[in-house]
Amino acid sequence: MTVLEHVKMARYSRISYGLVGAFFGTPKRHREEAAIEAKAHTLLK
Amino acid sequence: VFWAAACIWIINNFVRSTLGKALNAVRDNEMAADAMTVNTRRTKMIAFLFGAFWAGVAGGLFAHVLRYVNPGSFGLQKLAEVLAMVYFGGLNSVYGSIVGAVSISLLGEALRPLELFKWIIIPLMLILVMIFRPTGIDRLPGIRCPPTGATETNPDRGRCSMALLARVADHMTHFFGGLRAVHDYNLQIPGGGPDPGLIGPNGAGKTTIFNLFTGIHTGHRGANPPGRAGDHRQAAPPDRLPGSGPHLPEHAVSGAT
């Protein structure tokens, strides 16, 4: 796992999309993943 | 073909999500994953059920094609064949599994005239792959580091990330209350240089340095305590210090280096 993925993992308990979102890539999942990634990049900077 | 495409698409979606990455985290270090708020029991249950579901689908299709199911069809040889596909293509890689399955299947057909001897050649090739390419044939050398595009000849992603992190260590200082854990730490590593290591006795501040690298601790730049000359950033507020205040996901820290 990369450092970015480790930092993203810290948001695990805040994820609200479920397994259906993870399996089928729902818009809600994409929105949340984008927000998590942006937050992780901010923390790393 | 429909089921194969659906399987690849769903698995690819899953492993790219944070929920899917939790599987990697639990596999690498369950205790560390737990500290990062990952529900390890749920994650292991999902992995088991997810694998069982696709195994069930594959078994159903297998029976549909052969119109006959016998426990003898799923013996040790089949198990070894499936494991060989995974190892040959590459562990922890969806596309590696596809490459492995296609390669082993084609190899099996090509070596069919050799009859039983093919079961000597295929394991031999598998052993060679495990010796010379432990991560599978899918992982080729020369991966690119996403943040800068720098090339790292070593396929180990961790090393690549460490080199990138080390370049940002610029006169970092960190205080835990009145205790100075890291003092004016500066590290520059040129691109393509040797892999850095961090050695020191207990309490030297190694873990704090890693937590500063990853942004878990805010720290500040300069040698002086926060608020004095040379301080460019605010130190972490007291409620973010370990052991004080509620333990929230964003407060999770690396406990050991």
Side-chain angles (χ1 to χ4, degrees):
Chain A
M1 287 176 71
T2 63
V3 172
L4 180 66
E5 286 167 354
H6 275 98
V7 178
K8 284 167 73 176
M9 197 53 62
R11 305 288 295 180
Y12 177 90
S13 62
R14 300 289 180 89
I15 295 170
S16 64
Y17 67 82
L19 283 177
V20 174
F23 292 157
F24 298 104
T26 57
K28 184 182 181 184
R29 171 251 172 105
H30 286 299
R31 277 198 304 273
E32 277 196 38
E33 289 288 345
I36 290 170
E37 183 143 353
K39 175 83 174 172
H41 276 296
T42 307
L43 287 168
L44 286 172
K45 283 175 186 172
Chain B
V1 173
F2 166 77
W3 279 105
C7 173
I8 292 164
W9 182 67
I10 290 174
I11 291 175
N12 210 32
N13 270 338
F14 183 52
V15 298
R16 284 166 185 266
S17 70
T18 304
L19 281 178
K21 294 288 180 193
L23 268 64
N24 289 1
V26 171
R27 179 205 59 195
D28 290 345
N29 190 328
E30 189 175 339
M31 196 180 288
D34 201 22
M36 296 291 276
T37 73
V38 174
N39 187 336
T40 53
R41 181 178 292 182
R42 179 172 178 258
T43 302
K44 285 190 281 188
M45 190 70 80
I46 289 170
F48 180 76
L49 294 176
F50 194 58
F53 172 77
W54 288 112
V57 170
L61 292 172
F62 188 77
H64 182 73
V65 170
L66 292 186
R67 297 180 186 278
Y68 173 73
V69 182
N70 186 347
S73 309
F74 304 98
L76 273 178
Q77 190 174 328
K78 179 60 75 181
L79 175 69
E81 201 178 321
V82 172
L83 285 176
M85 287 171 180
V86 174
Y87 275 105
F88 196 74
L91 292 168
N92 196 27
S93 165
V94 177
Y95 299 110
S97 303
I98 298 166
V99 169
V102 172
S103 305
I104 294 288
S105 300
L106 290 177
L107 203 61
E109 291 301 317
L111 298 176
R112 188 184 285 269
L114 298 177
E115 296 180 355
L116 275 179
F117 286 105
K118 79 173 184 180
W119 291 112
I120 297 174
I121 295 172
I122 290 177
L124 200 63
M125 290 185 69
L126 187 62
I127 290 168
L128 291 174
V129 167
M130 290 172 81
I131 291 171
F132 295 108
R133 182 68 62 192
T135 51
I137 56 173
D138 178 53
R139 299 291 170 86
L140 298 173
I143 63 165
R144 298 180 70 79
C145 304
T148 63
T151 302
E152 174 70 47
T153 52
N154 196 309
D156 188 341
R157 285 186 182 187
R159 291 184 180 185
C160 183
S161 304
M162 180 62 200
L164 287 170
L165 283 172
R167 289 190 198 115
V168 303
D170 182 19
H171 297 283
M172 292 191 304
T173 298
H174 190 65
F175 285 81
F176 288 115
L179 175 69
R180 186 167 59 197
V182 176
H183 174 59
D184 201 19
Y185 184 73
N186 188 25
L187 181 64
Q188 295 294 328
I189 296 175
D195 296 320
L198 198 58
I199 300 172
N202 287 341
K206 302 183 293 295
T207 303
T208 309
I209 286 171
F210 275 97
N211 286 333
L212 286 167
F213 280 154
T214 54
I216 291 170
H217 290 325
T218 308
H220 70 281
R221 190 177 293 172
N224 298 318
R228 294 187 186 173
D231 174 26
H232 300 294
R233 292 173 61 189
Q234 286 297 311
D239 67 345
R240 288 198 56 178
L241 300 178
S244 60
H247 182 75
L248 299 174
E250 56 267 36
H251 298 174
V253 297
S254 173
T257 307

